Amino acid sequence: NDGSGHFSRAPGNLLAGLVPTAGWWTVQITDVDEDGVADLIIGGSDFVNSTCLGDPTCANPATPTVLLGINGGGFSRAVRLPSVAGEGMVLDFVITGTGGTRALWIDRTSSGVNIPGYASRTVQRVVWRTLESSVVFTSTEKWMPWLTPLNINGSWYIGTDQSKDNFIPLRVP
Protein backbone atom coordinates (compact mmCIF):
# COMPACT_ATOMS: atom_id res chain seq x y z
CA ASN A 1 0.00 0.00 0.00
CA ASP A 2 1.57 3.27 -1.08
CA GLY A 3 -0.60 5.34 1.29
CA SER A 4 -2.93 6.65 -1.43
CA GLY A 5 -4.96 3.52 -2.06
CA HIS A 6 -2.71 1.84 -4.61
CA PHE A 7 -1.27 -1.60 -4.03
CA SER A 8 1.57 -3.46 -5.65
CA ARG A 9 3.15 -6.85 -5.10
CA ALA A 10 6.17 -6.70 -2.82
CA PRO A 11 9.14 -8.80 -3.90
CA GLY A 12 9.74 -11.86 -1.75
CA ASN A 13 7.70 -13.31 1.07
CA LEU A 14 7.03 -10.78 3.85
CA LEU A 15 6.05 -13.62 6.20
CA ALA A 16 9.08 -15.84 5.52
CA GLY A 17 10.45 -17.22 8.76
CA LEU A 18 7.63 -15.74 10.87
CA VAL A 19 4.86 -18.28 10.26
CA PRO A 20 4.87 -21.88 9.04
CA THR A 21 3.04 -23.09 5.97
CA ALA A 22 -0.28 -24.10 7.53
CA GLY A 23 -4.07 -23.99 7.17
CA TRP A 24 -4.53 -20.22 7.60
CA TRP A 25 -7.84 -18.50 6.74
CA THR A 26 -8.70 -15.99 9.46
CA VAL A 27 -7.19 -12.50 9.36
CA GLN A 28 -7.65 -9.25 11.24
CA ILE A 29 -5.70 -6.05 10.61
CA THR A 30 -5.56 -3.72 13.61
CA ASP A 31 -3.06 -2.05 15.93
CA VAL A 32 -2.73 -4.74 18.59
CA ASP A 33 0.28 -3.34 20.47
CA GLU A 34 -0.99 0.29 20.33
CA ASP A 35 2.14 1.70 18.67
CA GLY A 36 0.26 3.42 15.83
CA VAL A 37 1.26 0.78 13.23
CA ALA A 38 -1.15 -1.82 11.86
CA ASP A 39 -0.49 -5.40 12.96
CA LEU A 40 -1.77 -8.59 11.39
CA ILE A 41 -3.56 -11.32 13.38
CA ILE A 42 -3.87 -14.68 11.64
CA GLY A 43 -5.51 -17.97 12.57
CA GLY A 44 -6.87 -21.16 11.06
CA SER A 45 -6.52 -24.87 11.87
CA ASP A 46 -4.82 -24.70 15.27
CA PHE A 47 -3.94 -28.40 15.49
CA VAL A 48 -1.64 -30.89 13.81
CA ASN A 49 -3.59 -33.08 11.42
CA SER A 50 -2.03 -36.55 11.38
CA THR A 51 -3.95 -37.50 8.22
CA CYS A 52 -2.21 -34.93 5.99
CA LEU A 53 0.01 -37.52 4.31
CA GLY A 54 2.94 -35.14 3.89
CA ASP A 55 0.92 -32.09 2.78
CA PRO A 56 2.78 -29.19 4.46
CA THR A 57 -0.29 -26.93 4.34
CA CYS A 58 -2.04 -29.03 6.99
CA ALA A 59 0.86 -30.73 8.76
CA ASN A 60 1.59 -27.65 10.90
CA PRO A 61 -0.81 -26.01 13.31
CA ALA A 62 -2.01 -22.54 12.32
CA THR A 63 -1.53 -21.30 15.88
CA PRO A 64 -3.17 -17.87 16.21
CA THR A 65 -0.37 -15.38 15.71
CA VAL A 66 0.03 -11.61 15.93
CA LEU A 67 2.54 -10.26 13.41
CA LEU A 68 3.77 -6.93 14.77
CA GLY A 69 3.99 -4.37 12.00
CA ILE A 70 6.79 -1.87 11.51
CA ASN A 71 6.74 1.55 9.87
CA GLY A 72 7.46 1.27 6.19
CA GLY A 73 6.05 -2.24 5.87
CA GLY A 74 6.89 -5.71 7.03
CA PHE A 75 6.81 -7.24 10.46
CA SER A 76 9.25 -7.16 13.36
CA ARG A 77 8.25 -10.41 15.03
CA ALA A 78 5.51 -13.00 15.52
CA VAL A 79 3.71 -13.47 18.84
CA ARG A 80 2.00 -16.86 19.15
CA LEU A 81 -1.28 -16.90 21.08
CA PRO A 82 -2.32 -19.78 23.37
CA SER A 83 -4.27 -22.73 21.96
CA VAL A 84 -7.41 -24.33 23.41
CA ALA A 85 -7.48 -28.15 23.42
CA GLY A 86 -10.23 -29.59 21.24
CA GLU A 87 -11.22 -26.13 19.96
CA GLY A 88 -8.72 -26.07 17.13
CA MET A 89 -10.54 -24.02 14.51
CA VAL A 90 -10.02 -20.24 14.79
CA LEU A 91 -12.82 -18.29 13.13
CA ASP A 92 -12.53 -14.64 14.19
CA PHE A 93 -10.74 -12.08 16.40
CA VAL A 94 -11.92 -8.98 18.26
CA ILE A 95 -9.70 -6.53 20.17
CA THR A 96 -10.93 -4.51 23.17
CA GLY A 97 -9.46 -2.21 25.80
CA THR A 98 -6.25 -0.23 26.04
CA GLY A 99 -3.07 -0.60 28.07
CA GLY A 100 -3.45 -3.23 30.79
CA THR A 101 -7.04 -4.04 29.75
CA ARG A 102 -6.12 -4.72 26.11
CA ALA A 103 -7.48 -8.16 25.18
CA LEU A 104 -7.89 -10.35 22.12
CA TRP A 105 -11.10 -12.34 21.94
CA ILE A 106 -10.90 -15.45 19.76
CA ASP A 107 -13.94 -17.19 18.29
CA ARG A 108 -13.20 -20.93 18.10
CA THR A 109 -15.00 -24.12 17.26
CA SER A 110 -14.26 -27.81 17.69
CA SER A 111 -11.68 -29.41 15.50
CA GLY A 112 -8.75 -31.75 15.73
CA VAL A 113 -7.69 -35.29 15.11
CA ASN A 114 -10.79 -37.47 15.78
CA ILE A 115 -12.77 -34.38 16.92
CA PRO A 116 -15.75 -33.42 14.72
CA GLY A 117 -15.50 -29.91 13.30
CA TYR A 118 -17.92 -27.04 13.78
CA ALA A 119 -19.78 -28.83 16.59
CA SER A 120 -19.16 -26.28 19.34
CA ARG A 121 -18.61 -22.61 20.09
CA THR A 122 -15.90 -21.29 22.33
CA VAL A 123 -14.78 -17.74 23.13
CA GLN A 124 -11.21 -17.39 24.37
CA ARG A 125 -9.88 -14.18 25.96
CA VAL A 126 -6.14 -13.45 25.81
CA VAL A 127 -4.74 -10.51 27.80
CA TRP A 128 -2.30 -8.82 25.42
CA ARG A 129 0.40 -7.74 27.91
CA THR A 130 0.75 -11.15 29.60
CA LEU A 131 -0.76 -13.55 27.03
CA GLU A 132 -2.82 -14.97 29.91
CA SER A 133 -5.56 -17.06 28.33
CA SER A 134 -9.00 -18.02 29.61
CA VAL A 135 -12.00 -19.69 28.05
CA VAL A 136 -14.83 -17.32 28.92
CA PHE A 137 -17.56 -19.25 27.14
CA THR A 138 -17.98 -22.73 25.70
CA SER A 139 -21.02 -24.62 24.47
CA THR A 140 -21.89 -27.68 22.41
CA GLU A 141 -24.15 -25.51 20.26
CA LYS A 142 -23.21 -25.04 16.60
CA TRP A 143 -20.31 -22.66 15.83
CA MET A 144 -20.62 -18.90 15.24
CA PRO A 145 -18.94 -17.38 12.18
CA TRP A 146 -17.75 -14.18 13.90
CA LEU A 147 -17.71 -11.97 16.97
CA THR A 148 -18.26 -8.24 17.20
CA PRO A 149 -17.99 -5.63 19.96
CA LEU A 150 -21.42 -4.39 21.02
CA ASN A 151 -22.33 -1.29 23.03
CA ILE A 152 -25.48 -2.10 24.98
CA ASN A 153 -26.82 0.74 27.12
CA GLY A 154 -23.33 2.27 27.44
CA SER A 155 -21.56 -0.97 28.41
CA TRP A 156 -19.30 -3.01 26.13
CA TYR A 157 -19.92 -6.66 25.28
CA ILE A 158 -18.61 -9.26 22.86
CA GLY A 159 -21.36 -10.90 20.86
CA THR A 160 -22.65 -11.57 17.37
CA ASP A 161 -24.95 -9.50 15.20
CA GLN A 162 -26.91 -12.55 14.06
CA SER A 163 -30.00 -13.42 16.16
CA LYS A 164 -29.93 -16.94 14.66
CA ASP A 165 -26.66 -17.54 16.55
CA ASN A 166 -28.64 -17.58 19.83
CA PHE A 167 -25.64 -16.17 21.72
CA ILE A 168 -25.94 -14.04 24.85
CA PRO A 169 -23.28 -11.28 24.69
CA LEU A 170 -20.34 -11.48 27.12
CA ARG A 171 -19.54 -8.41 29.20
CA VAL A 172 -16.10 -6.92 28.51
CA PRO A 173 -14.25 -6.44 31.82
Side-chain angles (χ1 to χ4, degrees):
N1 180 0
D2 68 3
S4 62
H6 299 94
F7 294 86
S8 61
R9 182 174 296 276
N13 180 352
L14 294 176
L15 304 180
L18 291 176
V19 296
T21 301
W24 304 101
W25 59 70
T26 302
V27 65
Q28 179 83 21
I29 300 172
T30 189
D31 184 5
V32 177
D33 59 358
E34 301 180 279
D35 65 354
V37 178
D39 304 310
L40 183 66
I41 313 169
I42 57 176
S45 293
D46 185 17
F47 65 94
V48 175
N49 187 342
S50 64
T51 63
C52 289
L53 302 175
D55 179 355
T57 63
C58 68
N60 297 314
T63 303
T65 301
V66 177
L67 298 168
L68 297 172
I70 54 176
N71 278 324
F75 303 98
S76 63
R77 67 187 178 104
V79 177
R80 308 279 186 259
L81 302 176
S83 297
V84 175
E87 300 297 313
M89 210 169 293
V90 176
L91 303 172
D92 196 18
F93 303 100
V94 171
I95 308 293
T96 62
T98 60
T101 65
R102 190 82 161 163
L104 292 90
W105 302 76
I106 304 173
D107 178 19
R108 292 177 168 274
T109 189
S110 58
S111 183
V113 176
N114 299 321
I115 298 174
Y118 297 100
S120 68
R121 55 175 68 174
T122 294
V123 178
Q124 175 188 14
R125 181 175 180 261
V126 178
V127 177
W128 174 244
R129 282 195 178 165
T130 63
L131 298 184
E132 177 185 336
S133 171
S134 57
V135 172
V136 295
F137 177 84
T138 191
S139 167
T140 57
E141 289 186 70
K142 186 181 172 202
W143 64 287
M144 300 176 300
W146 60 77
L147 294 173
T148 187
L150 304 168
N151 189 312
I152 301 172
N153 299 323
S155 296
W156 285 99
Y157 293 82
I158 296 298
T160 176
D161 61 354
Q162 301 291 310
S163 60
K164 66 181 178 155
D165 288 336
N166 191 32
F167 180 71
I168 298 171
L170 304 167
R171 173 88 185 215
V172 174

